[in-house]
Amino acid sequence: RALSNVTIAEVRRLMLRVYTLNGSFIDVPTGSPEPLMESVANTIGLKGSSRKYFTLVQGKSLDKPQSMITEDQKQLVAGSEVICVRKWCFDIAEETKLISTDDIAMNLVFQEAVFDVESGRLQPNDEQQAELDVCCDPNFPVEKQYILLCQKLPEYNRIDINNCEVIHQTKGRSQEIAAGTNVNMNITTRGIRLVDSNDRKTVDFTAWQHIRGWRFSEDKSLFSYEIALISPQGDHTFSSIALRTVQVSYLLSVLTVLVKRLKKLQDGPQSFLPHPVASQEKEKGGLKSFMNSLFSAGKSGDFSAI
């Protein structure tokens, strides 16, 4: 049967094949009533204290997750073909501690780092690449050192949402963006960057402080975010960038955890999740709206050091 027709309850009565980013897989017994991630963690020997730094995602390929698998989820995403365990940690200090205390966690993080380098998401220079190659010597692999080297590369914790279609012509912060443009969305601690999928040139970049909020359709096929356009005089207007992507559900999970992390750094221990617009949780056309708790038009900020 196709994964899209299998409920979580049915999967638990079978063997669940879960992949890691190097293409290997484990078959997890699923007769247990425990959450699927717990079953995976127990099977591979991941320490209890490490489990919050990993998640299960599902999608059509290893490099294009569509959604996270949650404890209360009853149905796998339609069209999903692959379930994969992925790192879910956006804090380098916490990750460094993690790979120093759990060898299984270190191997999973190492696989993710290798995947990012080989796919081109991380781009070391020739000298850095030579250092990384030494760490991958099959006779004497040094996984921890490889990870520490990757942590120093630009945008190490960047999340990519690839092959998004711009739905209508819109004004970005530096140029007009034509309808039908195919873009990759780079989500970083600095903000959201759109890169043309064909020529790899930046189409738009907006810092978190200049993103007022985002909307998504009920079927989670459409996503838009509203950006502030600041004039030289300090006045601002707003423009909405609307995208079509199969990764909306996964994108919303990323935004929630990353914005919460950045808000905590900004305000200290008290942190806030992005919250639904109180007067219009559901808008015309079935869209749902969220405000960005980091929004502050006219101000700047830089979280790139985390």
Side-chain angles (χ1 to χ4, degrees):
R1 295 173 62 184
L3 268 178
S4 57
N5 298 323
V6 181
T7 65
I8 293 292
E10 289 174 313
V11 169
R12 285 201 172 108
R13 292 196 294 269
L14 306 171
M15 293 292 287
L16 178 65
R17 177 155 292 183
V18 178
Y19 287 83
T20 55
L21 279 175
N22 65 1
S24 62
F25 60 84
I26 51 173
D27 286 326
V28 181
T30 58
S32 168
E34 65 188 358
L36 291 176
M37 185 60 212
E38 288 295 302
S39 295
V40 172
N42 289 333
T43 300
I44 63 179
L46 191 66
K47 290 183 178 180
S49 59
S50 303
R51 296 178 186 184
K52 63 182 179 180
Y53 297 112
F54 298 92
T55 188
L56 291 178
V57 297
Q58 54 187 355
K60 291 187 175 181
S61 61
L62 290 177
D63 62 343
K64 198 168 185 177
Q66 290 179 243
S67 69
M68 293 173 58
I69 295 178
T70 59
E71 286 189 42
D72 58 351
Q73 187 173 334
K74 303 300 182 184
Q75 191 82 19
L76 298 180
V77 169
S80 293
E81 297 173 7
V82 175
I83 296 174
C84 182
V85 58
R86 296 292 299 265
K87 181 182 73 171
W88 197 244
C89 178
F90 297 90
D91 185 289
I92 288 179
E94 290 184 6
E95 180 179 290
T96 302
K97 182 178 179 181
L98 171 70
I99 64 176
S100 301
T101 57
D102 188 334
D103 288 344
I104 300 298
M106 179 175 65
N107 179 257
L108 291 173
V109 175
F110 169 72
Q111 288 187 37
E112 192 126 0
V114 170
F115 184 88
D116 287 343
V117 171
E118 292 182 347
S119 67
R121 197 194 66 76
L122 291 177
Q123 298 185 341
N125 59 33
D126 290 344
E127 181 180 347
Q128 292 167 328
Q129 184 63 62
E131 291 183 87
L132 292 173
D133 290 343
V134 170
C135 295
C136 288
D137 184 336
N139 296 316
F140 191 67
V142 189
E143 295 183 352
K144 183 177 180 181
Q145 185 61 28
Y146 188 98
I147 296 167
L148 295 176
L149 288 169
C150 285
Q151 288 177 348
K152 298 176 182 178
L153 298 178
E155 299 185 350
Y156 169 68
N157 275 329
R158 189 182 83 200
I159 298 292
D160 291 346
I161 306 296
N162 293 326
N163 299 315
C164 306
E165 179 190 357
V166 178
I167 297 173
H168 54 74
Q169 181 166 329
T170 189
K171 186 175 180 61
R173 288 177 62 83
S174 59
Q175 65 184 71
E176 290 283 334
I177 307 173
T181 302
N182 193 275
V183 296
N184 297 335
M185 178 186 290
N186 302 156
I187 303 172
T188 75
T189 54
R190 295 180 58 237
I192 295 178
R193 179 193 303 112
L194 297 182
V195 178
D196 191 294
S197 300
N198 296 315
D199 61 20
R200 304 298 175 180
K201 292 182 179 179
T202 297
V203 174
D204 185 78
F205 173 79
T206 307
W208 289 112
Q209 289 77 9
H210 298 153
I211 298 173
R212 183 157 69 170
W214 44 84
R215 299 178 176 88
F216 62 95
S217 59
E218 278 191 297
D219 65 0
K220 295 185 178 178
S221 64
L222 304 177
F223 174 86
S224 68
Y225 61 105
E226 194 171 41
I227 64 175
L229 306 177
I230 314 296
S231 72
Q233 293 75 33
D235 300 325
H236 60 269
T237 56
F238 292 96
S239 179
S240 180
I241 300 177
L243 305 168
R244 180 176 287 108
T245 171
V246 299
Q247 293 183 270
V248 171
S249 182
Y250 178 68
L251 171 58
L252 293 172
S253 298
V254 170
L255 291 175
T256 297
V257 70
L258 185 55
V259 169
K260 180 180 179 181
R261 169 66 183 158
L262 297 179
K263 186 66 176 174
K264 184 176 181 179
L265 287 175
Q266 184 183 71
D267 294 349
Q270 183 67 32
S271 62
F272 301 92
L273 288 173
H275 54 282
V277 177
S279 60
Q280 49 183 39
E281 292 184 16
K282 187 174 181 180
E283 300 182 348
K284 184 178 179 180
L287 294 177
K288 295 184 179 181
S289 299
F290 284 75
M291 296 297 291
N292 174 21
S293 57
L294 298 172
F295 173 69
S296 181
K299 296 184 179 180
S300 61
D302 186 4
F303 302 100
S304 58
I306 72 168

